[in-house]
Amino acid sequence: MAISIERLRSLLRVTEPSLELVTSSVEDHDDYTVEHLRFRLTGGTEIRGFLTRPPSNTTPGPAILYAHAHGARYDIGASELIDGRAALLDAPGPVLAREGYVTLCIDMPTFGERADITESAATKAALWHGQTLFGQMLGEQAAALTWLAARADVDPTRIGMTGISMGATLTYFLAAIDPRITAAAHLCCYADFATLIETGAHDLHGHYLTIPGLLTETSTGKIAGLVAPRPQLICVGLDDPLTPPPAIRRAFRETAAAYEAAGARHQLALLEEDGIGHRETERMRREVLGFFRGHL
């Protein structure tokens, strides 16, 4: 039997904080606009966000929640949306704005302007308090989704989510526990955790993914299967050390089985690229943009 969403949320220790907009400023470009945002979380923590959108939005349209990557670059965080990073072809925010999407990205704990505490310290503190850093991240992403869905220029029934690496993991986990995600497309971080442990590849992943007891009750393939019957696109490189092929295949068998059971196998797609490591490719970019055009 698949794990229930309620039980998964309990294992992850997910709670959604409030997210209040404190300040915003607008930066106009020729064919897209950037909003520089500052939010306040429950408890008073202020966090940075960036939003990209078409220059003029007159009616509610599709939106994307973008989760930034890890890459041991704690200085980047949400600025990935407008500045890009080495693993990406270019900055995704302007590209998505030109496609007609309102796209939001916020700093995750220990990244960007929140890098005043290390990932290791934040993970230990959370675990010692009976919480998880990943659960905190997911809760904050859910709060960002709530804020995004409430915007006048966003249709709350047409919100997708995407990201690469850590952003990919956040994408399919949040889509699994939050039905407000209409469609999920993720790059370079889909693999069976138990197989990663068997091969030793788990130690290439960050401390943020430490979730006590997760593998005694479920698996990443089954978690991604909770997204069914909603559309999901998985993109991986077969030379990526973080996602060795046996771990991809084992996870995908379980995810595909969940989609089959939901009568939605046609809504699940896997793009595997030979000779590609932990990075976005031109083909991945085309597939993601086409996926969102078709489902949002």
Side-chain angles (χ1 to χ4, degrees), residues 181-185 227-233 259 266-269 291 294-295:
I181 300 295
T182 305
V227 181
R230 288 165 290 151
Q232 182 173 186
L233 171 64
Y259 273 79
H266 62 290
Q267 297 282 54
L268 176 67
F291 173 83
H295 296 293

Side-chain angles (χ1 to χ4, degrees), residues 172 189-202 205 219-222 234 236 238 240-255 270 272:
Y172 74 84
C189 212
Y190 171 84
D192 177 72
F193 283 2
T195 305
L196 293 182
I197 293 171
E198 291 165 8
T199 63
H202 69 292
H205 291 264
S219 64
T220 46
K222 292 177 180 177
I234 302 164
V236 290
L238 294 179
D240 186 344
L242 275 72
T243 59
I248 296 169
R249 306 272 162 71
R250 183 172 173 183
F252 192 71
R253 283 195 298 270
E254 294 181 335
T255 303
L270 172 64
E272 298 176 305

Side-chain angles (χ1 to χ4, degrees), residues 95-280:
V95 175
L96 293 169
R98 295 183 193 109
E99 290 280 317
Y101 303 108
V102 176
T103 304
L104 173 66
C105 185
I106 62 171
D107 277 339
M108 287 286 87
T110 78
F111 292 91
E113 290 188 353
R114 305 174 74 183
D116 54 339
I117 181 173
T118 68
E119 180 185 1
S120 175
T123 299
K124 291 172 184 175
L127 292 171
W128 291 351
H129 283 294
Q131 304 298 316
T132 71
L133 180 58
F134 193 48
Q136 180 186 347
M137 290 178 172
L138 288 167
E140 292 181 7
Q141 291 287 345
L145 177 59
T146 297
W147 184 86
L148 181 62
R151 283 179 61 102
D153 56 358
V154 169
D155 179 347
T157 69
R158 300 169 66 196
I159 301 179
M161 187 169 179
T162 192
I164 186 171
S165 195
M166 183 179 78
T169 310
L170 286 164
T171 293
Y172 74 84
F173 268 77
L174 187 64
I177 64 175
D178 197 322
R180 295 177 297 171
I181 300 295
T182 305
H186 47 93
L187 284 62
C188 304
C189 212
Y190 171 84
D192 177 72
F193 283 2
T195 305
L196 293 182
I197 293 171
E198 291 165 8
T199 63
H202 69 292
D203 206 27
L204 299 174
H205 291 264
H207 294 300
Y208 76 95
L209 269 178
T210 307
I211 307 158
L214 184 73
L215 297 186
T216 65
E217 298 194 38
T218 190
S219 64
T220 46
K222 292 177 180 177
I223 290 167
L226 292 173
V227 181
R230 288 165 290 151
Q232 182 173 186
L233 171 64
I234 302 164
C235 300
V236 290
L238 294 179
D239 281 3
D240 186 344
L242 275 72
T243 59
I248 296 169
R249 306 272 162 71
R250 183 172 173 183
F252 192 71
R253 283 195 298 270
E254 294 181 335
T255 303
Y259 273 79
E260 289 278 5
R265 181 61 184 82
H266 62 290
Q267 297 282 54
L268 176 67
L270 172 64
L271 171 61
E272 298 176 305
E273 290 201 70
D274 288 320
I276 299 300
H278 197 70
R279 63 178 178 87
E280 181 189 27

Side-chain angles (χ1 to χ4, degrees), residues 1-190:
M1 178 182 294
I3 191 171
S4 70
I5 292 173
E6 292 74 18
R7 178 56 183 159
L8 179 58
R9 291 180 67 95
S10 176
L11 279 174
L12 296 166
R13 301 293 194 268
V14 177
T15 57
E16 181 180 334
S18 64
L19 189 67
E20 174 190 2
L21 183 64
V22 178
T23 62
S24 65
S25 62
V26 175
E27 176 186 338
D28 289 318
H29 297 261
D30 289 340
D31 54 359
Y32 70 96
T33 295
V34 178
E35 295 185 15
H36 298 256
L37 309 172
R38 185 162 296 277
F39 298 98
R40 182 177 295 115
L41 288 167
T42 304
T45 299
E46 290 196 4
I47 65 172
R48 178 184 64 163
F50 295 98
L51 182 140
T52 55
R53 58 174 172 80
S56 59
N57 291 7
T58 57
T59 58
I64 291 175
L65 181 62
Y66 185 92
H68 69 73
H70 187 303
R73 287 294 306 274
Y74 298 97
D75 57 313
I76 296 178
S79 64
E80 174 181 320
L81 185 69
I82 58 172
D83 295 331
R85 66 165 62 232
L88 295 171
L89 296 174
D90 53 22
V95 175
L96 293 169
R98 295 183 193 109
E99 290 280 317
Y101 303 108
V102 176
T103 304
L104 173 66
C105 185
I106 62 171
D107 277 339
M108 287 286 87
T110 78
F111 292 91
E113 290 188 353
R114 305 174 74 183
D116 54 339
I117 181 173
T118 68
E119 180 185 1
S120 175
T123 299
K124 291 172 184 175
L127 292 171
W128 291 351
H129 283 294
Q131 304 298 316
T132 71
L133 180 58
F134 193 48
Q136 180 186 347
M137 290 178 172
L138 288 167
E140 292 181 7
Q141 291 287 345
L145 177 59
T146 297
W147 184 86
L148 181 62
R151 283 179 61 102
D153 56 358
V154 169
D155 179 347
T157 69
R158 300 169 66 196
I159 301 179
M161 187 169 179
T162 192
I164 186 171
S165 195
M166 183 179 78
T169 310
L170 286 164
T171 293
Y172 74 84
F173 268 77
L174 187 64
I177 64 175
D178 197 322
R180 295 177 297 171
I181 300 295
T182 305
H186 47 93
L187 284 62
C188 304
C189 212
Y190 171 84

